[in-house]
Amino acid sequence: MALADTALILQYMQQAVDVVLTGEHADSKVSACAFHPEQPEIPAVATVSARPDCLKGHFAWDARIGASSQFIHAELAALLKFGGNLRGAHVCVTDPFCPNCAKNMAEAGVRAIYIDHKGFQKDFIARNGDEFKTMSMLIAEKAGISVFEVNRKAGTVTPILDQQATTRPASTAIEFFDIADGMTLESAMQTFKNRLGTREAWTLAFVKERDGSPRGLLVFEALPPGITPEDYRTRGTDTGKYRFPIDPLTRLGIITRRMGMTLLDPRIGCARLPSSRSLVNALGMGISNLLLASAQPDHDPLGLAAITLLRDKKILNVSEMT
Ligand SMILES: [Zn+2]
């Protein structure tokens, strides 16, 4: 079932390919183009994997932030720059997507992913083909995302995973609360710290909803939509490089965009020290203020090194609850 016009898909894939060599990363050349077939008036956005601007003056391109590279993967970067709805958006990408991008696209509500056929012959798939099959494609399948291979020369769009479903599983593990008179981010954090503890990773923000109403938003670490604990136990959990759950800080950044919410307080409350990767993603989403409820690292033992580095360079503002 065609989900968008073939000529458009070919055009947007070409837009992604046209920028792929402009990337700063010397080894990994990946680009993506986000568009929404029901919002043709919103320009498609093509971008390479890119570093947040705030990191550029401070580090060489290949310096690590804790356990993470500085680069926002092209799929997420394109969605973050895209001006249309994330829910129902489509993404063209030059290479098979990694499990982290699969998680982010599922959380964003992406409906279809198109992969350039040349991407299947390149480096990533040789190194990470197993993760693509066992994790990325499973996440796409469970989230109701269709996946296609695009051959620009032949002008074809061929289904790899054609999902007819018209409904998609909703993202779960978020809660809204009313911001009571006199409530501050600190006092809200204290309330939820007392209620939830800090053994589990969760994040909290004060947001303005699309209709203008202020709201407290609580976001938990969660499995991608449709992924069950059984999947988590039995598939793809032993590679070490990728994990199924989505970090709550990354989720919060994607969810606020998907739902058209803006931050009322620039700070994000975090129950635990976020992982290196979610810190880099947060910077890419314009989040640079954190309030920590505990100094316990989330699943990433290098999270502390990452946050210390970013704090020392004054790239990230971090305060801890007393
Ligand atoms: Zn990726």
Side-chain angles (χ1 to χ4, degrees), residues 73 75 97-98 101:
H73 285 201
E75 297 90 322
F97 45 96
C98 75
C101 288

Side-chain angles (χ1 to χ4, degrees), residues 16 22 28 74 87 111 114 119 153-154 178 196 232 242 253 273 275:
T22 65
S28 172
R87 181 166 288 282
R111 178 69 183 89
Y114 307 93
K153 206 167 174 190
D178 292 328
L196 302 164
Y232 184 26
Y242 298 105
L273 268 179
S275 70

Side-chain angles (χ1 to χ4, degrees), residues 22 32 46 48 51 57 61 88 121 172 206 232-233 255 274-275 284 304:
T22 65
V48 289
R51 292 196 280 165
W61 69 269
Q121 291 135 33
T172 52
F206 282 179
Y232 184 26
R233 260 200 315 279
I255 287 167
S275 70
L304 179 60

Side-chain angles (χ1 to χ4, degrees), residues 39-249:
Q39 293 184 298
E41 72 284 5
I42 309 284
V45 173
T47 179
V48 289
S49 296
R51 292 196 280 165
D53 286 339
C54 58
L55 295 175
K56 285 183 182 165
H58 294 281
F59 306 104
W61 69 269
D62 56 349
R64 307 285 287 178
I65 308 296
S68 175
S69 91
Q70 296 168 61
F71 286 76
I72 308 289
H73 285 201
E75 297 90 322
L76 179 59
L79 289 169
L80 293 176
K81 284 187 183 174
F82 181 58
N85 287 340
L86 295 188
R87 181 166 288 282
H90 292 200
V91 177
C92 290
V93 59
T94 54
D95 292 65
F97 45 96
C98 75
N100 285 339
C101 288
K103 295 188 311 195
N104 295 337
M105 289 190 281
E107 186 71 66
V110 164
R111 178 69 183 89
I113 303 170
Y114 307 93
I115 305 168
D116 195 67
H117 79 286
K118 288 192 175 170
F120 288 99
Q121 291 135 33
K122 291 198 318 202
D123 188 41
F124 170 85
I125 196 74
R127 282 184 290 120
N128 299 292
D130 286 349
E131 280 113 336
F132 176 69
K133 288 196 198 85
T134 59
M135 294 188 75
S136 303
M137 286 301 288
L138 181 70
I139 292 163
E141 182 193 331
K142 295 294 184 92
I145 302 173
S146 291
V147 182
F148 301 85
E149 180 174 329
V150 173
N151 187 315
R152 282 170 292 125
K153 206 167 174 190
T156 53
V157 177
T158 312
I160 299 169
L161 175 65
D162 191 359
Q163 307 215 71
Q164 307 285 334
T166 51
T167 55
R168 298 163 33 82
S171 129
T172 52
I174 67 174
E175 277 179 34
F176 288 97
F177 59 93
D178 292 328
I179 303 172
D181 279 346
M183 187 187 259
T184 62
L185 197 80
E186 286 86 350
S187 66
M189 282 294 286
Q190 194 59 57
T191 301
F192 286 103
K193 186 180 176 180
N194 294 344
R195 188 181 117 190
L196 302 164
T198 57
R199 282 188 57 204
E200 214 189 322
W202 47 269
T203 52
L204 184 154
F206 282 179
V207 297
K208 190 164 76 175
E209 290 199 83
R210 210 172 249 148
D211 67 3
S213 21
R215 204 71 71 199
L217 170 64
L218 201 55
V219 176
F220 297 87
E221 175 180 282
L223 290 169
I227 294 285
T228 62
E230 173 73 6
D231 294 326
Y232 184 26
R233 260 200 315 279
T234 56
R235 298 184 59 162
T237 55
D238 53 357
T239 64
K241 193 167 172 191
Y242 298 105
R243 58 200 292 273
F244 272 116
I246 317 181
D247 287 353
L249 183 54

